[in-house]
Structures are given as C-alpha cells and as structure tokens.
Amino acid sequence: MNKKTVVVSLIGTQLDYVGKGSARWSRWRPNVSLCSQEDLIVDELHLIHDNRSSRLANNVAVDIESVSPETTTSLHNVRFEDPWDFEEVYAKLYDWCHQQTFDTDHNDYLFHITTGTHVVQICSYLLTESRHFPGRLIQTSPDHHNPNRSIGRTHIIDLDLSKYDQIASRFDIEHQTGKDFLKGGIATKNKAFNELISQVEKVAIRSTAPILLTGPTGAGKSQLATRIFQLKKMRELVSGSLVSVNCATLKGENAMAALFGHTKGAFTGAQKARDGFLLSANNGVLFLDEIGELGLEEQAMLLHAIENKSFYPVGSDVAVTSNFQLIAGTNRQLKQEIAAGKFREDLLARINLWTYQLPALRERKEDIPANIDYEIDLYAQTNGQRVQFNKEAQQRFLKFAQSSEALWTGNFRDLSSAITRMCTLADSSRITIDDVNAEIARLSQAWQPSEVSNNNDILLNYFNSEQIAALDSFDANQLAFVLQRCQDHNSMASAGRELFNVSRTSKVQVNDSSRLQKYLAKFGLKWKDIDARR
C-alpha cells in the first residue's frame, strides 16, 4: 500500500507574497513550488500562519489548488508574538505537534523548512530530530536551469544518520575511539568485558544519571571512573572537575562536613567555611569509592542531593546547589548491606540505574598478556627505563599468570606490583627466568591464607622449598601441625601424649614416643632435628 505524503509548512510572508497579478505564476514561491513537483505528489499540506498572514495563506491555498488539485490544504492559525524568540517558537510548534495525530503506518510526513525565520527552521529541525514530528525535512529552492522557474526543486533530508554510510562510519570510529579510551588503550579480548565497556561508553556520552561500579578490590573501578570523566571532558559534556573520595576515610562527625561542607563555627575547630566534596564537583563528576562505607545519615543526605541537586552544609539553613554526576564504587554486596540495616534501600534504587560488575583478573585470563604489556609500558613512562622479558622468562610468567595457581586476589594491583618489582630488579633491562621464579614465589606466598603461611614458615625450618612443594596439601598441613606441637614440648613422650590424646586410651600398651618417631621418620626427621631448632 502506497503511503500518503503529508507536509507541514509555514507561510513565507516574504517569499510566498508576489502580488495577485498573472506575473506571480512566473515567480518561484516556496509553498506553491512544493506542490508543483512532477515527482512529488503532496496529498495533504498543513500550512501554519498567524493572524497577520491569514489573507496570504488563503491566497496561497487557492493557487495550490489550481496547480495541484490532488492536494488538500489545511490552514492552521498559530500566533507568534515574536517569531525570533526561540523559547516561544519552540513551545508553540511543540504544542502544535503534540495536538496532532500522526499515523506513520499510512502517511509519510515531511516538514518544509524553507519558509519562516531561522529560529522557526531550527525549531523544525529539533522537533524532527527528537521525533516529536515523526518524519523528514524537505527543502525547496529555485532551479535556474529549469525554463519554468516557478517550479524550482526539492531536497529531502532524513535525520536518521544511520542511513548515511559515511556518517555512520564516522560514528563507528568515534564510538570505537571512546571504547579504546575507556580501556586505557589495552587490546582486551574478553567478550563480556568488551561488551560492558561498549555500553559504558554509550552511557557516559548520553546520560548524566548515576553510575554504580561494583567488583572486587583492584578490579579497576577507580581507573574506569577517571576515564569516564576524562571522556566526558574531551567531548565537552562537563565543565567541572573530577572529585574522587574514598568513603572509607570518612568516619565520625567529620564525614558530613567533608561531603556537604560547613559554615564557619559550625562545630569546634571549624575556623572557616568549607565547600565540601559535593559542591567542589559542581558541573563535574563526583566519584564516591566504597560508598557502602558511608553512614546512614550521610546516605540520606546524599540521596536528597542526588534527587534535588541541593543540600544544606553543616551549620547552615540555606541550601546550596551542585549539578554533579555521581559515579559510585563498591566491593560490597549492597543488597546484603540493606538486609543488615547498613545501607539504604532507596539510595541503592536511585544509584543503580546503570550498574556494572567489573570482573576479577582471574576471570579475564585472555586479557593478561595485553595488561602485562600495558604495565611494562607504564613502567617505562614513569621511570624512563625500557625493560623487557627474555623469551623464556615471558613464557614462564604467562604460563603461571594464566594458570589456576595464580589467584590474583588483589587483581590488577597484584599484576601491576609484580611487573613493577620485576622491572626494578631486572639487570641490564632484561627480566630473566630467575626474576620470574622469584616473583612467582613471592606472589604464591602472599596469596596463601595466614594459616597456610604459618605452616610454610614451620616447614621451612626443616625442608627446602622444593621438598615442601612435593608434599600433598594434606601431608604438609598435618606435618606442620605435628612439628608445631613438638616444638612446644621438651620430650618426644610429652609431645606424643598431646598428639595421640584419644587413641592412646584404647591401647593395651601405650608407646607414644614410638608412634611419633615412626611418623617423623616418614619425612626423614628425627627428634634431635626438632631439638636443634628450639
């Protein structure tokens, strides 16, 4: 089914007026020309005018009927007090569009932008671009190559930019540039992380609503928040500063004053007024890291400030305003905090419109090589010294870093620290296999629970690292426990009585020393070895 063509236009008080004589038919008139096109049949023309141009609008409608009897012309009286007042013109055209019933299934809508003031033309564009007018733009102009100059020519402009390949390509490039920037230029391969960053880039550019970044410590929440701000700054979406606050440092009575500011004399020690973090972030971005550490009173005031863009400094009954965008970070499960009465449910509802869970490093093993390269480059920039792995060392470290042995409990902080240590200790700017092995041992030790770490300390009194590594976890933990108990006793018999305190009661012949001696012998130990280390 062919759609009808419906055009909205304004009367041109200058261009449409050429008098009443027959000479008017040889002159180009925008609205008459619009309806005179051989390749464009206008089924309906809605002609907007005001009281001062009612007669002209009627005359143009009569002429259109004579050149295009297929066109039904409807006149609409819209009174513009000042056609150069943007606010007035936009409001009245918006209201007019809102009053219409648009049937896009059966009609093709065009907004004629040749007539009217420049302000009218801008407002027509904005209403079409925002889809309050669900159509395209059409422009008419004289055609000096056509002998019949009254007809002119038309040009239709579709504001759906995705239909223009070259423009769409530019947007794709800009979008990719934004994503690369948010990733710090790191060529990440993890699909889930790349999809997350792709959405964050869109939200950073298109939204000013709060963003909640969750994930374990060291997953990159602070870095991502900083890059979101920098991206907004580059695109001139914010004019203010980034104010970063670790909420874990805001404790006691000073927390409220630090966030919301205070007046002079508001409390003991307040010798002068202070703006506070929220006001300092006006027209910028406020990053509240570890937001779950805030007290309930501070949470309540923060919620009010987010919703109203205003708050009361401590000691003041005059509200101040601050137009900031909030980015919050946390490694806590805020829903569990709500259940425990430590976090406000209404605040979470307000800040989790855009929530992104940053994955741990061990969940992004395919991204470890690129992040290692990034950390090495960062070390070179910071220290002015270029350091590289030799081939064997690189393979060894990558194999470990991507294995199940690498816990990366501190996530990217652990990786950054490891690279920094190896680069610093490398001789001749080359990281060797010995450097890597030493770092692996250091990381493995750091990642062990305190109990396991204590066990290793005990075992190292009797075995070297290779011997300990050859022990099953069960044997290593049991042996460490036995040796610890032995060190607490002066004799094998005394130690045996504690270690075999239950089983010895069922023995016909109790021989604790013999049992302990045989156990130690399994690992090549004698009681004198223990005595030697007291």
Side-chain angles (χ1 to χ4, degrees):
M1 180 183 67
N2 293 329
K3 291 184 176 182
K4 292 199 305 182
T5 300
V6 179
V7 180
V8 175
S9 183
L10 280 85
I11 194 69
T13 55
Q14 299 295 323
L15 295 175
D16 279 328
Y17 178 74
V18 291
K20 295 182 180 180
S22 59
R24 71 184 188 278
W25 296 109
S26 62
R27 298 281 297 277
W28 173 78
R29 293 178 290 168
N31 282 301
V32 176
S33 169
L34 177 66
C35 299
S36 302
Q37 303 298 313
E38 292 184 2
D39 56 353
L40 177 66
I41 303 299
V42 177
D43 297 289
E44 295 181 20
L45 175 66
H46 295 267
L47 195 57
I48 297 174
H49 65 89
D50 61 12
N51 290 334
R52 291 165 292 188
S53 56
S54 295
R55 180 176 297 179
L56 175 60
N58 277 289
N59 291 337
V60 169
V62 171
D63 284 349
I64 288 174
E65 184 179 8
S66 66
V67 298
S68 180
E70 303 90 345
T71 303
T72 301
T73 303
S74 301
L75 303 182
H76 301 266
N77 192 330
V78 177
R79 183 177 180 181
F80 296 111
E81 295 293 339
D82 181 359
W84 292 94
D85 184 318
F86 179 84
E87 186 174 10
E88 179 199 356
V89 172
Y90 185 88
K92 289 186 175 178
L93 287 178
Y94 174 90
D95 290 342
W96 186 88
C97 289
H98 189 67
Q99 293 164 5
Q100 309 307 308
T101 301
F102 294 107
D103 182 4
T104 55
D105 290 333
H106 300 95
N107 298 328
D108 185 18
Y109 293 95
L110 300 170
F111 208 124
H112 186 212
I113 60 170
T114 303
T115 52
T117 64
H118 293 323
V119 170
V120 169
Q121 293 168 356
I122 292 170
C123 292
S124 303
Y125 165 84
L126 292 174
L127 289 166
T128 304
E129 194 271 339
S130 63
R131 305 302 292 170
H132 289 104
F133 177 80
R136 298 173 291 170
L137 303 176
I138 186 169
Q139 188 170 20
T140 55
S141 61
D143 185 359
H144 299 293
H145 300 288
N146 191 330
N148 187 350
R149 294 189 175 184
S150 66
I151 295 179
R153 57 186 177 182
T154 62
H155 182 67
I156 293 177
I157 306 167
D158 193 335
L159 296 182
D160 182 359
L161 299 183
S162 65
K163 296 181 178 179
Y164 300 94
D165 292 341
Q166 189 173 4
I167 295 177
S169 296
R170 288 180 180 270
F171 280 127
D172 288 341
I173 293 171
E174 185 177 89
H175 181 46
Q176 186 61 47
T177 301
K179 290 191 293 183
D180 290 343
F181 180 81
L182 291 178
K183 293 189 293 183
I186 302 173
T188 56
K189 297 180 179 180
N190 183 271
K191 181 179 179 183
F193 180 74
N194 286 340
E195 289 176 351
L196 181 151
I197 290 297
S198 181
Q199 188 175 123
V200 169
E201 190 267 348
K202 294 178 184 178
V203 171
I205 298 302
R206 303 175 188 176
S207 175
T208 59
I211 297 173
L212 177 61
L213 303 177
T214 67
T217 298
K221 298 185 291 292
S222 298
Q223 290 86 343
L224 182 56
T226 300
R227 288 174 184 145
I228 289 173
F229 166 75
Q230 291 171 341
L231 182 61
K232 295 171 91 61
K233 194 79 169 179
M234 287 191 301
R235 303 285 175 85
E236 299 184 352
L237 299 173
V238 294
S239 57
S241 303
L242 170 67
V243 178
S244 297
V245 184
N246 188 328
C247 297
T249 65
L250 304 179
K251 297 295 183 182
E253 59 184 17
N254 292 327
M256 197 76 78
L259 283 170
F260 304 102
H262 60 79
T263 60
K264 180 180 179 181
F267 50 85
T268 303
Q271 298 180 358
K272 60 180 181 179
R274 176 181 177 178
D275 286 343
F277 294 127
L278 269 70
L279 187 57
S280 298
N282 186 33
N283 295 321
V285 172
L286 175 66
F287 176 50
L288 295 182
D289 196 11
E290 304 304 342
I291 192 172
E293 299 286 345
L294 285 180
L296 292 174
E297 290 186 25
E298 289 82 11
Q299 293 176 31
M301 282 194 65
L302 177 62
L303 175 62
H304 181 274
I306 295 170
E307 292 182 335
N308 300 283
K309 300 298 183 184
S310 66
F311 52 90
Y312 292 90
V314 177
S316 175
D317 56 2
V318 178
V320 298
T321 61
S322 179
N323 183 29
F324 62 89
Q325 180 178 4
L326 176 69
I327 302 178
T330 184
N331 60 6
R332 294 190 175 190
Q333 297 294 329
L334 293 183
K335 290 185 178 180
Q336 293 179 10
E337 297 294 297
I338 291 171
K342 297 180 180 179
F343 201 81
R344 294 181 62 99
E345 187 173 10
D346 50 2
L347 178 57
L348 178 59
R350 188 66 182 82
I351 66 175
N352 75 344
L353 174 63
W354 301 110
T355 300
Y356 298 101
Q357 170 83 25
L358 298 190
L361 178 57
R362 62 180 176 271
E363 297 170 7
R364 295 174 51 195
K365 292 182 179 179
E366 63 269 58
D367 289 339
I368 288 177
N371 277 279
I372 290 174
D373 291 341
Y374 171 80
E375 293 295 342
I376 288 177
D377 289 341
L378 186 61
Y379 180 86
Q381 295 171 18
T382 304
N383 297 276
Q385 180 184 7
R386 189 74 182 174
V387 180
Q388 294 288 347
F389 284 93
N390 68 34
K391 186 176 181 180
E392 183 185 14
Q394 184 179 43
Q395 291 174 344
R396 173 75 175 104
F397 188 72
L398 275 177
K399 182 179 179 181
F400 167 77
Q402 294 178 299
S403 72
S404 58
E405 298 176 49
L407 302 181
W408 299 119
T409 55
N411 293 292
F412 290 92
R413 291 177 185 170
D414 278 354
L415 181 62
S416 178
S417 297
I419 297 301
T420 299
R421 283 191 293 264
M422 287 189 289
C423 287
T424 302
L425 297 174
D427 293 326
S428 303
S429 298
R430 300 291 288 181
I431 299 173
T432 66
I433 190 68
D434 290 337
D435 296 323
V436 168
N437 286 335
E439 182 58 32
I440 290 174
R442 185 183 291 109
L443 289 171
S444 299
Q445 178 72 18
W447 292 333
Q448 289 179 348
S450 57
E451 181 180 346
V452 175
S453 180
N454 290 337
N455 288 347
N456 266 6
D457 290 341
I458 294 170
L459 294 176
L460 283 170
N461 289 324
Y462 304 93
F463 307 98
N464 59 39
S465 298
E466 292 182 1
Q467 290 172 319
I468 295 173
L471 293 173
D472 288 336
S473 295
F474 174 81
D475 287 333
N477 290 323
Q478 185 184 64
L479 179 58
F481 176 80
V482 170
L483 291 172
Q484 178 66 58
R485 291 296 175 267
C486 289
Q487 290 175 6
D488 294 337
H489 293 270
N490 292 323
S491 69
M492 192 181 303
S494 175
R497 281 194 295 272
E498 179 183 348
L499 291 168
F500 307 120
N501 63 321
V502 175
S503 61
R504 70 192 303 273
T505 61
S506 61
K507 298 286 185 180
V508 176
Q509 184 177 0
V510 177
N511 194 343
D512 299 323
S513 297
S514 177
R515 294 176 67 187
L516 180 55
Q517 184 181 35
K518 291 177 181 177
Y519 177 81
L520 294 174
K522 287 172 52 179
F523 302 99
L525 294 174
K526 297 180 180 180
W527 184 258
K528 66 178 183 181
D529 297 324
I530 297 172
D531 275 336
R533 289 176 172 68
R534 291 186 189 284

